[in-house]
């Protein structure tokens, strides 16, 4: 989908985003051990999936650029499908966690919803980006509800808005300039970094 010369930039952004996403997952895991709650657990699982998917895709993008081959290209395409599936699953988990926190949904009710994450079709990149944007919009809306009660940080809300905007830019790359995809990756990375900075400070994420 992207020109060959975009691979180094996309690889670097994916690997950086992977490192930050995994750090967010680790920070959420540590926070969950200190203060039991459903939201940190959902954040940890969600960003673990994102981090692993980005690590795989970024590594294969770098390998394909350094050593182009038909086999490498096929493997990269497969990894892209896998990452898109993990992306949908991770944002679905995140949405379930924050909707549950905003509207006091019992955690047990989330299990049937989460099992459906892997059933989402992986065939269309645009569909996945659109679905990711919708799920993130749900997270942002729920965060705004929590913010109205005075129990949610504006920094975390800003982080989720940046991640949402990143996927909107990626979706826009289908009809606009291709650099929108790289721009979306940068904006998403900024959202990850902002969320990580907040978690490292040991603050509440919900």
């Amino acid at each position: 989908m992207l020109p060959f010369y975009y691979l180094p930039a996309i690889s670097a952004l994916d690997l950086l985003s992977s490192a930050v996403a995994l750090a967010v997952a680790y920070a959420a895991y540590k926070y969950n051990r200190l203060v039991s709650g459903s939201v940190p657990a959902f954040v940890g699982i969600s960003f673990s999936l994102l981090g692993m998917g980005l690590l795989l895709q970024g590594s294969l993008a770098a390998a394909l650029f350094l050593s182009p081959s038909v086999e490498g290209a096929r493997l990269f395409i497969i990894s892209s499908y896998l990452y898109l599936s993990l992306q949908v699953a991770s944002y679905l988990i995140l949405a379930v966690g924050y909707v549950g926190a905003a509207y006091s949904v019992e955690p047990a009710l989330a299990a049937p919803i989460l099992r459906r994450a892997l059933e989402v079709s992986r065939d269309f990149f645009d569909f996945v980006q659109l679905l990711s944007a919708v799920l993130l919009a749900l997270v942002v809306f729920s965060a705004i509800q929590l913010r109205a009660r005075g129990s949610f940080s504006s920094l975390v809300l800003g982080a989720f808005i940046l991640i949402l905007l990143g996927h909107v830019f990626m979706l826009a790359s289908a009809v606009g300039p291709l650099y929108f995809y790289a721009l979306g990756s940068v904006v998403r990375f900024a959202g990850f970094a902002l969320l990580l900075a907040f978690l490292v400070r040991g603050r509440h994420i919900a």
Side-chain angles (χ1 to χ4, degrees):
M1 185 179 64
L2 293 173
F4 184 74
Y5 55 80
Y6 268 70
L7 284 177
I10 295 303
S11 173
L13 288 169
D14 281 352
L15 291 175
L16 284 172
S17 296
S18 169
V20 174
L22 291 174
V24 167
Y26 178 70
Y29 170 73
K30 286 185 63 178
Y31 180 82
N32 191 50
R33 291 184 63 186
L34 295 174
V35 182
S36 179
S38 61
V39 171
F42 279 105
V43 170
I45 296 172
S46 173
F47 278 81
S48 293
L49 292 176
L50 278 175
M52 290 186 292
L54 285 166
L55 178 61
L56 176 63
Q57 181 156 281
S59 299
L60 290 177
L64 180 60
F65 181 78
L66 294 173
S67 181
S69 67
V70 175
E71 293 76 12
R74 289 174 180 170
L75 189 59
F76 178 72
I77 291 173
I78 293 173
S79 75
S80 296
Y81 284 147
L82 177 59
Y83 168 66
L84 291 175
S85 295
L86 290 174
Q87 177 180 294
V88 170
S90 65
Y91 290 143
L92 179 57
I93 291 169
L94 195 64
V96 169
Y98 275 98
V99 169
Y103 300 101
S104 301
V105 178
E106 292 296 326
L109 297 179
I113 300 175
L114 298 182
R115 283 197 293 268
R116 296 188 61 84
L118 296 179
E119 298 175 10
V120 177
S121 172
R122 303 178 301 178
D123 294 336
F124 301 100
F125 171 85
D126 294 339
F127 171 75
V128 172
Q129 296 303 330
L130 177 60
L131 183 56
S132 296
V134 170
L135 292 172
L136 283 166
L138 186 58
V139 170
V140 169
F141 179 77
S142 300
I144 291 173
Q145 300 301 309
L146 292 170
R147 177 67 178 166
R149 302 175 193 172
S151 61
F152 199 85
S153 166
S154 58
L155 288 178
V156 176
L157 177 59
F160 287 135
I161 290 175
L162 285 175
I163 298 171
L164 169 60
L165 289 176
H167 285 283
V168 170
F169 277 118
M170 292 179 186
L171 179 62
S173 68
V175 294
L178 286 175
Y179 67 78
F180 274 12
Y181 184 89
L183 179 60
S185 296
V186 171
V187 174
R188 180 185 61 185
F189 172 77
F192 286 0
L194 185 60
L195 183 58
L196 174 61
F198 188 81
L199 283 170
V200 167
R201 292 166 60 189
R203 302 297 184 85
H204 293 275
I205 53 179

